[in-house]
Every structure is written in C-alpha cells, then in structure tokens.
Amino acid sequence: MKHVTESKDLHRKAKVAVFTTGGTIVSNFNRAKGTITPVYSGKELLGFMPECDCIDLELHEFCNMPSPYLTPNDGLKLAKKVEDVLKDSTIDGAVVVQGTDTLEEIVYLFHLVLDVPKPVVFTGAMKSRNQLYFDGTGNLFGAIKLAACSDASERGVMAYFNQEIHSARYVVKTHTDNLSAFKSPECGPIGRVYNDRIIFYGKPEAERKYQIDQLDEKVVLIKAACGMDDLFIRASIDSGVSGMVIEGLGAGNLPPKTVKAVANAINRGIPVVMVSRCITGCPMGMYEYEGGGANLRDIGVIMGGSLNGQKARIKLMVLLTHNKNVEYIRQAFEE
C-alpha cells in the first residue's frame, strides 16, 4: 500500500548534513570542446540550490574527486564520518553527493556497515552544469527533502535520482548518460517524489550490518565469457588475492577450461563467489556438467544470490575483513 507523507514536523525546522565528494554534479560542460571538467566546490554546489525555508543544511566537504578515484576504503571512511555526524540529535538525516560511476558500490557499502535509523540518501547527476538536461539541482533538492522526511527513517540507505527512491541493496546504474540511468531491476523503486510529496511503496528487507575499521580490498571481479580459459583466474591466484567474485554465465555456469583453476583457488583457501552476469536472477547450482552450477557448488563455489558482480565484490571485502572463515562467508551469502 502506498504511503504518502510530507517533509518534517511543522513545529521544528529539519536539519540535514550534506557530504560532498565530487562528481559530475560539481562539473561544468565546455560546449566548444564537448568535455566535462570538475570545477565547483561543495560550498558552491549548495550555493546553486534554491532556498528551502523548512530545512537547514550543514555542509561537510569530504573530498572533491571523480568517482572512479574513490576506493572502498574511502567509502568506509566516509561512512564512519556520516555515522558520527548522525549521532547529533539535531541532525535529522544525511545526503551523500557522489559521482555516479561507482555510486552503486559505495551506497551498498554504506548499507552493509552503517547501522543508523536516520535517513541516508545518495545522489549525484548524470549531466553537468551548462549541459542540456542538467539534473543535479533536482536530484540534490529531492535528496535533501527525502533526508529530512521523518517517514524515511528505518528504510536503510537509499539512492535518489530522477524523482525515484531506490534501496541501496538493489540500485544499479543501467545507462552511461541517460537521466533515468539508476534503476532497481529486481524490484523497482521503493518510492517516488512528486514536488513536495514523498511517496513510499514499502520498506526493503533488513540486512546484517558489520562493524569494521579497514577493508580488505584484494578481491577481484572476473566476468565469464563464451569460450574463456583460466588465464584471469590463474593470474588472480598468483597475485595473492584474498577473494574472487565471478560473474558466471546464465544460472551460474562456466566454460570447462576454468574449472581446475577455480578448484585450485578454493583449495588454497580463497573464497570464490558466483553471481550471474544476467541483469536479474541468481545462480542456482543446477547444471550437472563440468563447469555447471551444480559441479561448481560441489567443489566449493559460494552462490552469491541476486547481487551483481560489483556489489558481491564489496560484500566479500566486508566479510573477509569481518571473518575470513570460508563457511562463515558462505552462510552470509547463501542465507
């Protein structure tokens, strides 16, 4: 059932902490060159925003860099700063402004490590300032309204783009340039914003939170392809990786030339997590042929559920940092 709500209690002015990290939203479009360059600070970004009489803003300029420069440990450091700020009883929620290229990974990392009831909303822009269809102002304004909304509490970390509210667990960047790039292919958005009206359709399921101080980033992501051999798997083993995520074919299958290397990785204590390269669905461990899901499951491959490869990689980093026991990791993915 739809739930329609307005912003915060009319008797108290809401306060939202805004954390800026850079990205297209603080960039400018050069029409002559057809190029985009980061030029604005977080303070300048908020200066472009229309005034909102019912919400106070507290700016935290975490960094100013393109999102391909961000690392998972940068994301963890930011999550801890957000958590500390949200301990302030006068802060009602937080907005994280980030470049879109790695947003689905950092927002899911927040989802796994941040255990706070207050709303945390990620947003950014698909178009830069002065570019046709610039979406940064609308996305940021809507994210701030969402973070100030009392009914947004206890819904986990969210992403807000193009008037849609998405759960961090499911949101994916599906297009390189379109304003509607962010989607949740498995389940759709959990809500929408129409002007000042915030409409929720439900709450995403809870997921366990992990208290960690530093991520083990030595986790690789390998995408399966027709006729591939074991080159990337062997190279990963030789380089001393801590874990491996494979985007398998279909319901979690691999070409037969890869199987011995996968078994070798498992025998060396390297957890190997299987997800599907398909947009939706999950590995099922059904096919009983060499390289089939049942065969891979029998040699110790962990079935990673409906997570995509990049999110499964983040989760494996978190789990390896929390507990390196392979059976613990298997249970966390397969529960």
Side-chain angles (χ1 to χ4, degrees):
M1 188 172 103
K2 293 182 180 180
H3 187 111
V4 182
T5 183
E6 303 295 330
S7 267
K8 206 73 186 162
D9 182 347
L10 295 176
H11 300 294
R12 183 175 78 80
K13 199 170 184 181
K15 188 174 183 181
V16 172
V18 178
F19 295 80
T20 58
T21 69
T24 298
I25 197 169
V26 296
S27 299
N28 197 52
F29 180 65
N30 185 316
R31 293 184 182 277
K33 293 182 178 179
T35 56
I36 296 170
T37 306
V39 292
Y40 301 112
S41 66
K43 184 177 181 180
E44 289 172 316
L45 174 65
L46 291 190
F48 293 134
M49 295 294 298
E51 290 187 14
C52 184
D53 294 334
C54 61
I55 304 174
D56 284 330
L57 301 180
E58 179 179 290
L59 175 63
H60 298 263
E61 297 189 81
F62 178 76
C63 64
N64 195 337
M65 63 177 71
S67 68
Y69 289 20
L70 293 171
T71 68
N73 273 306
D74 290 331
L76 181 61
K77 183 178 178 182
L78 177 56
K80 290 186 176 298
K81 286 186 177 294
V82 171
E83 186 174 31
D84 286 342
V85 169
L86 289 179
K87 291 175 183 176
D88 184 341
S89 61
T90 68
I91 302 292
D92 297 288
V95 169
V96 178
V97 181
Q98 187 192 312
T100 60
D101 283 354
T102 60
L103 187 143
E104 66 184 274
E105 288 152 282
I106 302 297
V107 74
Y108 184 57
L109 173 62
F110 267 58
H111 174 74
L112 291 175
V113 303
L114 200 61
D115 191 11
V116 294
K118 295 178 181 179
V120 177
V121 185
F122 275 66
T123 197
M126 292 301 299
K127 305 287 185 180
S128 58
R129 189 163 292 277
N130 295 328
Q131 196 173 9
L132 193 61
Y133 306 121
F134 174 63
D135 56 331
T137 300
N139 286 344
L140 180 53
F141 192 76
I144 289 169
K145 294 282 286 184
L146 179 57
C149 173
S150 59
D151 201 45
S153 298
E154 303 284 2
R155 294 183 187 273
V157 183
M158 295 169 280
Y160 177 75
F161 284 88
N162 201 35
Q163 297 182 261
E164 293 185 340
I165 306 166
H166 295 272
S167 166
R169 168 63 177 76
Y170 295 106
V171 70
V172 177
K173 185 177 180 180
T174 64
H175 198 283
T176 60
D177 187 60
N178 195 276
L179 300 188
S180 61
F182 283 87
K183 300 290 184 185
S184 296
E186 283 285 338
C187 63
I190 62 170
R192 286 186 170 88
V193 176
Y194 297 96
N195 295 323
D196 284 343
R197 300 176 69 208
I198 298 172
I199 301 175
F200 287 107
Y201 304 130
K203 291 185 179 181
E205 69 274 21
E207 193 164 352
R208 181 177 174 180
K209 310 301 179 184
Y210 300 89
Q211 297 298 316
I212 55 176
D213 295 318
Q214 185 79 12
L215 283 169
D216 185 341
E217 294 185 348
K218 294 180 68 177
V219 176
V220 294
L221 172 59
I222 298 172
K223 187 165 189 169
C226 177
M228 73 178 287
D229 61 19
D230 62 358
L231 172 63
F232 296 130
I233 298 169
R234 286 190 290 106
S236 298
I237 295 170
D238 292 343
S239 68
V241 298
S242 300
M244 191 180 302
V245 175
I246 300 177
E247 284 191 2
L249 308 171
N253 310 308
L254 289 176
K257 292 180 181 179
T258 65
V259 175
K260 287 184 179 179
V262 169
N264 186 26
I266 293 167
N267 290 336
R268 294 187 180 205
I270 300 170
V272 178
V273 176
M274 175 65 67
V275 296
S276 176
R277 72 176 192 177
C278 297
I279 296 171
T280 58
C282 57
M284 299 180 185
M286 295 188 302
Y287 289 92
E288 286 194 323
Y289 53 75
E290 186 178 14
N295 170 227
L296 296 172
R297 183 192 57 206
D298 289 345
I299 66 175
V301 171
I302 297 166
M303 297 297 154
S306 62
L307 290 172
N308 63 18
Q310 51 268 37
K311 288 189 176 183
R313 175 175 172 263
I314 291 294
K315 184 166 185 175
L316 184 52
M317 286 182 189
V318 170
L319 292 170
L320 280 166
T321 306
H322 192 259
N323 188 330
K324 294 186 183 296
N325 181 274
V326 173
E327 290 310 311
Y328 171 84
I329 294 170
R330 183 187 308 281
Q331 183 178 359
F333 271 104
E334 296 183 353
E335 61 186 355

